[in-house]
Amino acid sequence: MLEELVEDPQKWLEAYHKRSNVEGSFSILKRDNPSPLRKKLDERREQETFGRACNQNLKRLCYLNYTENINPKGNWPK
């Protein structure tokens, strides 16, 4: 990793920033959902994981709407 940093710092920093964002997102998901997945079947585990991710996205959207006055009125169905 250090060799890549020396060779092309901008490329390395872009990749690092992506990794940092992903790690932060997983950290938030784990903090908000400390219990393990409850479902046993793979399909239902995927649904539970998707539900948790959607819940996190909605919380983030509400937070941004409150703090930054970002309103999600775009091409959403009415």
Side-chain angles (χ1 to χ4, degrees):
M1 278 180 68
L2 291 176
E3 188 176 311
E4 292 175 10
L5 173 62
V6 171
E7 289 175 3
D8 191 359
Q10 287 302 322
K11 184 178 176 184
W12 188 87
L13 287 171
E14 287 176 13
Y16 175 78
H17 184 63
K18 288 178 186 177
R19 282 194 312 270
S20 175
N21 285 341
V22 170
E23 289 175 7
S25 298
F26 279 124
S27 175
I28 291 169
L29 280 171
K30 288 180 181 181
R31 185 184 66 224
D32 288 349
N33 300 295
S35 62
L37 294 174
R38 297 180 196 143
K39 305 299 180 189
K40 301 295 180 199
L41 299 176
D42 288 339
E43 183 178 337
R44 293 195 179 148
R45 289 176 70 87
E46 288 176 15
Q47 290 174 351
E48 186 177 359
T49 303
F50 182 73
R52 287 182 178 191
C54 287
N55 185 27
Q56 182 59 36
N57 288 339
L58 286 172
K59 283 194 261 185
R60 182 70 179 155
L61 183 61
C62 290
Y63 173 77
L64 288 173
N65 188 17
Y66 179 75
T67 59
E68 305 289 330
N69 201 17
I70 294 175
N71 203 346
K73 292 181 183 174
N75 295 327
W76 289 22
K78 296 180 181 181

